[in-house]
Amino acid sequence: MAQDLRPGRKKAMVLEDAELRSLRIPSTAHRGSLSPSKHSYLPTLQEQAREDRPQSIASRKGATEAPVEAEKKGGHASPETHVLTDLSADVLENVKAEFVENGGALNGEQFVRAMLRNLDGGSGKSQVSTTQESASPMRSASIRAAAVMDLFSHVDVHGESSVTWEDVSNYFIEQGMSGGDEFTVDSIKTYEVSQVKDVSKHETPVEKLVYLEQIDSLVCLSRGSRNFRLYDPKRCILKDTVPGHRGTVINCCYVDAWSQIATTAADMTICFWDSHLQLRNRLAAKDVQLCLQWDRVSRSLFSGAIDGTLSRWDLNNMTLADLRKGNHKKAINDLLMVHDINLLASASSDGSILMWDTTMMKPKKTFKGHKKGTFSLAYSMDYHCLLTAGLDQEALVWNPYVERVPIFRLKGHTHALCGVSIVPGTPQILSADVAGTFRLWDMRSFRCVQSFGGNETTLNDLNTFCIMPPHHRLAAGASRVILHDYMDEWGGESVTDTGGVTDALYNPTVGEFYTISKQTVKTWNANTGVLFKVLRDITQDEITAACVADNGRKIYLGDAKGRVQSHGLQNGAVLSVFDQHPTDISCLSIWKGTNKVFSSSWDGTVKISTDEGSRPPQLKAEFKNHRDGVTCLRGSPELLLLASGSTDMQVVLYDLKTMKFETALSRFQHVIAAVDFLPKRCLLVVADQGGHISFWRMRPHPDQWTCIFHFRNLPIINGVLPSVTEVPPPTLAVPVCALRVSEEQLFRQSEDGEEEIIDPPLIHTADSKGVLRVWTVSAMCKKRGVHALDVKDLFEQQRSGKMTSPTRGKTVRGQRTAATRGTSPGTSSPRLGKALSPQNSIGAAFLTGLDLESENDIARSLDHQDPTRSQAVSVAQSDTEVQLLFEEEGHDDAGIISMYLTEEPNALMTTGLDRRVRTWSSQLDRLGTLMQSQDRHFKFPFDPQAAQEVRLQAAAELLEYLAPENRLRLPPIPGASSRSAHDMLLSLSSGKTKPTKKKDAEKAWRVTAEQVMQAPEDVEEDDFRMLFEQMERGSMAGYPLESKERLVKISKALQAKQMVHRANALSKEEAFAAERLAHAMAALGGDDYGTYAAMASSLKVR
């Protein structure tokens, strides 16, 4: 059986090598130019790098300036691109060999070492090194290493710290297929029916529409009409009706050189009309001409006849210059001049497409792929592709240099096509069928982006269509003219997304923001606030929840059908599919530092799964303790707790260690809006839609599951904030939508102008009126003894049963409160207290026990008051435990969907119902808004240059660690090989081998030994071993004895320095004993080379 498998395996390896050798990686910064010898129309990084380097070297800037300049322009520097430009088939083969030698997988250090070794040994200098003319060699090496490390992180999208050759090759192939250009902003637009309507009367259906950009007019040709009409393309108003033909007008084109319109009709004539639409000339043909095309290079007019004849007309003399008959067997339906290659394309009813030399009037190329007749031609100047459409129900994409097969078939239509067109300057392809269905395609991936028309409009019998690029519009012809406008993704509004924003996230790993809208994820530059990437339609249904992975390379998305998937942030590809929920996902969260993923849905289900990277995810636990939808989800790794709030007005806690239900905090009066932990203080902060913010003790504190304090989110009235702890409240509380807590210190200016330090904890709230607030409860913590605790010590006391409750003054041994482990989630906890006030808020309590007036009574008593907000906040004197520090109207009196505290840098990010995502400082100073029209005042404190320096520092440290691998190594001495040492030394220095005499070999070894002794730090133990072997063989007879002893001493010293020592520091007694042992061994003569002394001196005393 093994014999049978070998040929297949060998063939597979040959195919894989061939694929890698033909790998073509496109540049994200250039549009492609076609290589005549290749099937692919995509450009290669290698070709473009060679083209760009000579002309750009003189204008290049330093290493750190290039990424910063890219950031300023709104782009996002991609360091791994520099590595991709230097890849070749030989480099890839060598890297593959490194994978095989290391068992098929490489970790980060091995990958960097392998790539640097092969890239440096490849042909020519890299693009990175050539750009660093003024940089030091060490910095250039760090830049190269940083680029390779960035490449590794892109390949290792799961964060497994190792990659296989399959992972690397798949990444290269994916880059070769897409190059990332398909994710650019505003390149593909969606089409909608225009509000502009054609109100003119049509006796017969529209048969042909032609847009003449030179005169900005839409020419309409109707079935059986001897007249042609000109419409204003902006307002779709009929401007002129031009008679003159004695037969049905069939087609037209514009003749630039004469500034005239040329029309052809069934009367076998070609007529020319001036700018005043007056007939100037008429040409008689031998047959009906179906199409016209003007060539400005040869200054000739070409026409295609119903019998397949191609004619060339001389307009200077108004005569027929040449004609060709017989190449097409049937009628020529369309002509198109391809100026790139100076050839004329013709489409015929016989299904063939010919490319003509306009000078010789000879067909140069023939394309055969349609089974039926072709009627429409289009050409992309940007992507250098020819598109054809006809009765086949599919459009074909051709490389004009390759005649054999089309590049791609655009499938999806269910009826015969009536045309295909390309929007100049974009990757948009438009195709339409006779049933009125349009399909919008992306040229870069040949993916259908949108399908519109058909039953949605009156386009039931579509005959023709054309595009009008200056007006961002297409015109379709059926019983009348119907317009479709294509819309920018931002629609001209000053919002983050016109379709609304579901959520917004920040990724500190790469300095990027992500906004979620419908089925799209948009990526923004954190330094400039500029949108630079759009991942469109990456989920099957609308995205309802999102969370960035811990490694910052992938994103978890939950949709309206309960699916949870991880996607690569590089290209949006699906990486893992998690266990599906019954209903739409409400929340997603992760446990940082682990592979745990938390998900919840609107049926009350909470699931804990593990992301196994390249393996399928595993469901670890599933909880159904809520009676209704989960509104918020938050985990605390320090307390090993997961908290979920719900519309059933309770908070459920889960043990992350045992993966079991822990307890339920019930009897809230309102829907739970947000939860967050203060783990150092064993606190859970809960905010609800009634405007209450409450603080609950968590385990392992002895007062676990009890409410210790609460206050209300009251509005400011006449410049004064009422008491937020008074019972009953002086006014209705504003519902809280989002909450975040922080243990960071805050600074603010005091009334006397000095900087005041605000102690934590800080509470950040966002309410239903779009107001952001920052509160401090440090006074409450001091008054009630809520200090930072040693959580590990508390857990240990809890396990040993020696925990003492500070409020009860007794030892807690297995005490179980009303809301404890095992309590049924459907059972309400008993009444724990009555009035929760500042004087009576420690111990067991619950929010529903408050002695309050009804909210309706409060509302009636406050009808005469006019609450207003003011930036000048005056807090009531009675609130000694909570203080409002800052307030800001964040989202124009609209509710806030989400709020996050960002890390590196520390800031605040909010998402509002006003379709905007805003960033704030800790003092609520506005830092900018993410807008597709770009916020010029955006100043989020992310420093790309500092981030680049951090990457370079990490790369420099890795290079220093890998330095021994790059040292000069002497060639090994084969035992029974005919190759001499001299040959090996020569191969080391020059790579060449020459026959030599024995005395020359002796001399070479002497020189090498001297070099080794002069620079012992540049060699390794193996180098000494080879020299010793040579000396033992006698080839170094007569060499000075002291040199030999010197070599031995250096070798032993180097060996002692590289010995693996104890990892933990010694105690004072152990260090003293080690030092005495070193002295004893030295006195006995057993430490000639300082081994024990080096060991003792390298240990650090505790």
Side-chain angles (χ1 to χ4, degrees):
M1 183 176 295
Q3 296 287 342
D4 297 337
L5 291 176
R6 286 177 184 173
R9 176 58 181 163
K10 184 176 181 181
K11 182 178 180 181
M13 292 180 66
V14 170
L15 291 175
E16 183 180 355
D17 291 340
E19 182 181 24
L20 288 173
R21 284 187 172 276
S22 61
L23 180 65
R24 299 172 61 78
I25 304 173
S27 170
T28 58
H30 300 82
R31 296 195 183 276
S33 58
L34 186 66
S35 172
S37 60
K38 301 291 183 182
H39 289 277
S40 174
Y41 70 96
L42 293 172
T44 66
L45 281 174
Q46 291 93 340
E47 292 170 355
Q48 292 186 353
R50 286 194 296 268
E51 294 172 0
D52 295 343
R53 285 175 188 172
Q55 60 187 2
S56 59
I57 286 177
S59 61
R60 279 178 178 147
K61 300 183 179 181
T64 59
E65 294 182 29
V68 175
E69 288 297 325
E71 296 280 353
K72 289 180 180 179
K73 295 178 181 178
H76 205 72
S78 183
E80 83 278 3
T81 304
H82 299 310
V83 179
L84 296 179
T85 57
D86 296 320
L87 289 178
S88 64
D90 294 335
V91 170
L92 291 174
E93 287 181 354
N94 294 336
V95 173
K96 181 181 178 182
E98 298 262 3
F99 275 91
V100 174
E101 291 176 4
N102 288 273
L106 297 178
N107 59 27
E109 297 172 359
Q110 293 171 333
F111 181 81
V112 172
R113 182 188 298 121
M115 290 295 294
L116 292 180
R117 181 184 300 150
N118 290 284
L119 288 172
D120 292 339
S123 58
K125 294 197 296 183
S126 71
Q127 184 173 348
V128 178
S129 60
T130 54
T131 59
Q132 312 309 322
E133 297 176 354
S134 60
S136 65
M138 180 58 69
R139 186 171 183 83
S140 298
S142 299
I143 294 171
R144 167 68 74 89
V148 176
M149 292 167 65
D150 193 75
L151 174 62
F152 177 83
S153 66
H154 278 84
V155 177
D156 183 28
V157 66
H158 294 294
E160 297 175 323
S161 301
S162 67
V163 295
T164 64
W165 171 247
E166 183 180 3
D167 297 332
V168 176
S169 59
N170 286 343
Y171 176 80
F172 289 155
I173 291 172
E174 288 174 3
Q175 291 295 301
M177 292 174 64
S178 65
D181 194 32
E182 62 184 295
F183 310 123
T184 53
V185 182
D186 287 338
S187 56
I188 297 293
K189 304 172 178 64
T190 57
Y191 285 76
E192 298 178 1
V193 177
S194 177
Q195 298 299 319
V196 179
K197 305 296 182 183
D198 175 19
V199 295
S200 62
K201 183 179 180 180
H202 294 267
E203 300 291 342
T204 56
V206 177
E207 194 70 27
K208 185 73 175 178
L209 290 173
V210 180
Y211 175 65
L212 302 180
E213 187 171 356
Q214 296 87 342
I215 59 175
D216 193 26
S217 295
L218 177 66
V219 180
C220 176
L221 310 176
S222 299
R223 184 178 301 170
S225 175
R226 298 181 180 183
N227 307 327
F228 65 92
R229 293 178 168 186
L230 271 70
Y231 284 81
D232 178 1
K234 185 175 182 179
R235 296 175 294 172
C236 200
I237 296 175
L238 179 63
K239 297 193 298 184
D240 288 290
T241 300
V242 184
H245 277 285
R246 295 184 289 271
T248 302
V249 183
I250 300 173
N251 214 327
C252 71
C253 75
Y254 192 79
V255 181
D256 300 89
W258 277 264
S259 299
Q260 295 179 359
I261 301 174
T263 58
T264 180
D267 57 3
M268 296 185 292
T269 61
I270 301 174
C271 294
F272 297 89
W273 314 82
D274 62 17
S275 58
H276 300 288
L277 301 178
Q278 300 297 316
L279 181 63
R280 300 303 301 267
N281 280 297
R282 190 191 302 266
L283 290 174
K286 295 183 179 180
D287 213 331
V288 176
Q289 307 297 307
L290 300 179
C291 49
L292 299 171
Q293 179 66 52
W294 166 254
D295 177 25
R296 62 176 181 268
V297 177
S298 62
R299 297 176 67 85
S300 300
L301 180 69
F302 294 90
S303 64
I306 196 171
D307 63 348
T309 301
L310 178 67
S311 303
R312 179 162 63 92
W313 304 87
D314 182 1
L315 299 188
N316 290 316
N317 301 317
M318 298 302 293
T319 58
L320 178 64
D322 203 352
L323 63 85
R324 291 292 183 270
K325 189 175 182 178
N327 298 97
H328 283 297
K329 307 301 180 183
K330 295 183 180 180
I332 298 177
N333 299 310
D334 198 9
L335 293 173
L336 180 67
M337 192 68 204
V338 182
H339 297 286
D340 279 4
I341 52 179
N342 198 28
L343 295 178
L344 177 69
S346 60
S348 172
S349 296
D350 61 9
S352 64
I353 299 99
L354 300 181
M355 302 286 284
W356 298 80
D357 184 335
T358 56
T359 303
M360 305 297 295
M361 285 292 287
K362 292 183 179 180
K364 304 291 290 185
K365 296 180 182 297
T366 303
F367 301 95
K368 293 184 178 181
H370 289 277
K371 298 178 181 178
K372 299 178 181 179
T374 54
F375 291 89
S376 180
L377 296 170
Y379 184 77
S380 172
M381 294 288 291
D382 300 286
Y383 295 89
H384 309 278
C385 290
L386 178 69
L387 287 93
T388 59
L391 300 176
D392 289 284
Q393 302 182 9
E394 58 186 26
L396 303 187
V397 185
W398 302 87
N399 181 339
Y401 294 99
V402 180
E403 304 178 51
R404 291 174 294 177
V405 292
I407 295 175
F408 201 81
R409 294 177 179 268
L410 303 179
K411 300 180 179 181
H413 288 281
T414 58
H415 297 81
L417 301 186
C418 65
V420 65
S421 186
I422 290 176
V423 180
T426 74
Q428 296 183 72
I429 303 173
L430 280 164
S431 60
D433 57 36
V434 295
T437 300
F438 284 86
R439 295 182 78 87
L440 175 63
W441 310 81
D442 189 339
M443 171 73 78
R444 297 156 301 194
S445 61
F446 301 124
R447 179 173 58 94
C448 181
V449 177
Q450 184 191 10
S451 178
F452 60 97
N455 296 330
E456 302 174 4
T457 63
T458 57
L459 289 173
N460 296 324
D461 295 313
L462 182 64
N463 300 316
T464 180
F465 80 93
C466 70
I467 61 168
M468 298 178 285
H471 302 278
H472 305 287
R473 178 174 288 175
L474 71 84
S479 59
R480 58 186 176 88
V481 178
I482 298 177
L483 303 178
H484 287 76
D485 296 331
Y486 61 94
M487 310 299 294
D488 288 314
E489 290 179 341
W490 61 285
E493 299 182 57
S494 297
V495 295
T496 302
D497 200 299
T498 55
V501 183
T502 304
D503 204 352
L505 308 169
Y506 175 65
N507 186 352
T509 304
V510 292
E512 295 174 353
F513 291 108
Y514 307 111
T515 58
I516 316 298
S517 177
K518 297 182 179 178
Q519 297 167 256
T520 300
V521 177
K522 297 182 178 181
T523 308
W524 307 72
N525 188 309
N527 179 45
T528 61
V530 172
L531 175 65
F532 68 92
K533 182 191 289 185
V534 180
L535 302 176
R536 300 175 179 86
D537 300 325
I538 62 175
T539 58
Q540 299 179 24
D541 294 275
E542 182 177 354
I543 302 171
T544 56
C547 179
V548 177
D550 198 15
N551 66 349
R553 294 298 177 184
K554 57 184 177 181
I555 186 172
Y556 299 103
L557 300 177
D559 63 22
K561 291 298 175 93
R563 286 182 288 260
V564 178
Q565 298 175 337
S566 64
H567 298 256
L569 285 170
Q570 180 77 8
N571 54 13
V574 177
L575 303 176
S576 303
V577 179
F578 292 78
D579 191 66
Q580 188 170 352
H581 283 256
T583 57
D584 45 348
I585 304 300
S586 60
C587 303
L588 285 175
S589 183
I590 63 168
W591 183 352
K592 290 189 177 182
T594 71
N595 62 347
K596 298 291 192 304
V597 179
F598 310 129
S599 59
S600 63
S601 54
W602 284 107
D603 67 338
T605 302
V606 175
K607 293 185 179 182
I608 302 177
S609 307
T610 56
D611 187 348
E612 303 292 338
S614 55
R615 299 182 299 276
Q618 300 293 322
L619 177 63
K620 294 299 182 181
E622 181 176 356
F623 306 98
K624 296 185 178 180
N625 302 94
H626 286 291
R627 299 185 298 272
D628 207 342
V630 177
T631 57
C632 51
L633 201 62
R634 191 73 171 171
S636 172
E638 299 86 352
L639 303 178
L640 294 175
L641 287 174
L642 174 67
S644 62
S646 170
T647 55
D648 63 2
M649 295 178 287
Q650 68 173 348
V651 176
V652 177
L653 294 151
Y654 315 90
D655 190 322
L656 292 179
K657 185 176 182 180
T658 62
M659 299 292 178
K660 293 182 179 180
F661 167 78
E662 180 70 18
T663 189
L665 307 177
S666 58
R667 303 288 299 276
F668 289 89
Q669 279 188 325
H670 302 276
V671 171
I672 307 301
V675 294
D676 203 357
F677 284 95
L678 285 168
K680 294 181 181 180
R681 303 173 190 267
C682 294
L683 285 180
L684 174 69
V685 187
V686 182
D688 61 33
Q689 292 186 5
H692 297 277
I693 296 97
S694 55
F695 297 76
W696 300 77
R697 278 292 192 186
M698 294 289 104
R699 71 167 196 197
H701 197 276
D703 295 332
Q704 59 187 12
W705 324 135
T706 59
C707 181
I708 64 169
F709 180 71
H710 94 288
F711 67 92
R712 296 173 179 82
N713 182 48
L714 300 181
I716 295 175
I717 302 175
N718 298 325
V720 177
L721 178 67
S723 173
V724 296
T725 58
E726 181 181 340
V727 179
T731 182
L732 287 175
V734 181
V736 177
C737 300
L739 174 141
R740 282 293 182 267
V741 298
S742 171
E743 288 280 6
E744 299 290 332
Q745 278 189 340
L746 198 62
F747 300 91
R748 71 169 181 175
Q749 292 294 118
S750 61
E751 295 180 357
D752 55 3
E754 296 182 359
E755 194 172 62
E756 180 184 0
I757 299 177
I758 306 298
D759 293 327
L762 303 174
I763 311 299
H764 303 262
T765 61
D767 61 38
S768 60
K769 294 188 178 297
V771 176
L772 302 175
R773 286 178 168 182
V774 181
W775 311 75
T776 177
V777 289
S778 59
M780 180 273 292
C781 292
K782 292 177 182 179
K783 180 178 179 180
R784 303 175 186 273
V786 184
H787 305 299
L789 303 169
D790 188 343
V791 177
K792 292 184 179 179
D793 184 60
L794 287 178
F795 271 118
E796 184 61 34
Q797 293 181 31
Q798 190 181 57
R799 282 191 292 268
S800 62
K802 298 179 180 179
M803 181 175 291
T804 301
S805 172
T807 59
R808 296 179 177 87
K810 60 181 181 179
T811 302
V812 180
R813 292 183 180 272
Q815 180 177 335
R816 305 175 71 89
T817 61
T820 57
R821 189 191 311 271
T823 302
S824 171
T827 304
S828 300
S829 58
R831 185 176 297 270
L832 300 176
K834 188 175 182 181
L836 183 62
S837 64
Q839 291 77 25
N840 180 23
S841 58
I842 294 185
F846 58 94
L847 295 182
T848 55
L850 300 178
D851 188 12
L852 306 176
E853 300 179 38
S854 69
E855 293 186 354
N856 292 331
D857 295 338
I858 298 173
R860 285 193 294 269
S861 66
L862 297 173
D863 283 342
H864 65 282
Q865 298 185 10
D866 182 21
T868 59
R869 301 188 191 94
S870 173
Q871 193 65 28
V873 179
S874 177
V875 182
Q877 296 296 319
S878 59
D879 290 330
T880 59
E881 296 180 273
V882 58
Q883 183 182 5
L884 177 60
L885 301 176
F886 303 100
E887 181 185 70
E888 182 67 30
E889 294 187 7
H891 288 271
D892 301 333
D893 205 28
I896 294 177
I897 300 172
S898 65
M899 177 173 62
Y900 296 98
L901 287 173
T902 65
E903 299 176 358
E904 301 176 9
N906 293 325
L908 197 67
M909 179 173 62
T910 59
T911 304
L913 291 173
D914 57 358
R915 300 177 296 172
R916 292 182 176 91
V917 175
R918 290 197 164 118
T919 58
W920 314 82
S921 70
S922 301
Q923 293 84 7
L924 295 186
D925 297 323
R926 187 170 296 185
L927 300 178
T929 305
L930 299 179
M931 293 190 297
Q932 296 195 52
S933 55
Q934 190 176 357
D935 184 357
R936 292 177 295 176
H937 304 290
F938 193 88
K939 53 181 180 180
F940 188 77
F942 172 75
D943 187 354
Q945 189 169 357
Q948 174 72 359
E949 289 299 328
V950 171
R951 289 194 292 267
L952 293 180
Q953 180 63 30
E957 293 175 358
L958 180 59
L959 285 177
E960 185 177 357
Y961 174 78
L962 298 176
E965 294 293 330
N966 301 324
R967 291 175 180 169
L968 180 67
R969 298 181 63 87
L970 297 177
I973 303 177
S977 174
S978 60
R979 190 179 184 191
S980 66
H982 176 77
D983 294 335
M984 285 185 285
L985 285 174
L986 288 178
S987 66
L988 176 67
S989 59
S990 62
K992 300 179 181 179
T993 58
K994 293 182 180 180
T996 184
K997 298 179 182 180
K998 183 177 181 180
K999 61 180 182 180
D1000 295 332
E1002 185 77 20
K1003 182 179 179 181
W1005 276 107
R1006 287 178 181 271
V1007 173
T1008 303
E1010 291 292 346
Q1011 292 176 348
V1012 167
M1013 289 185 290
Q1014 291 174 3
E1017 295 296 330
D1018 293 333
V1019 294
E1020 292 184 334
E1021 186 180 356
D1022 292 342
D1023 304 326
F1024 289 103
R1025 178 184 55 78
M1026 288 184 285
L1027 286 175
F1028 295 157
E1029 290 179 3
Q1030 189 68 16
M1031 288 187 289
E1032 291 294 332
R1033 296 175 191 175
S1035 62
M1036 295 189 69
Y1039 203 83
L1041 182 61
E1042 60 271 20
S1043 298
K1044 180 177 179 181
E1045 293 179 352
R1046 184 180 173 190
L1047 282 175
V1048 173
K1049 187 173 182 179
I1050 292 174
S1051 176
K1052 294 297 184 180
L1054 184 61
Q1055 182 181 9
K1057 185 185 297 183
Q1058 294 179 349
M1059 288 183 65
V1060 178
H1061 303 306
R1062 173 171 171 162
N1064 298 328
L1066 295 178
S1067 64
K1068 293 183 178 180
E1069 293 78 7
E1070 291 171 337
F1072 181 70
E1075 187 176 0
R1076 290 185 61 188
L1077 176 61
H1079 285 303
M1081 294 302 296
L1084 295 173
D1087 194 19
D1088 294 341
Y1089 307 108
T1091 303
Y1092 291 94
M1095 183 187 302
S1097 63
S1098 67
L1099 296 171
K1100 297 180 180 180
V1101 181
R1102 286 200 295 263

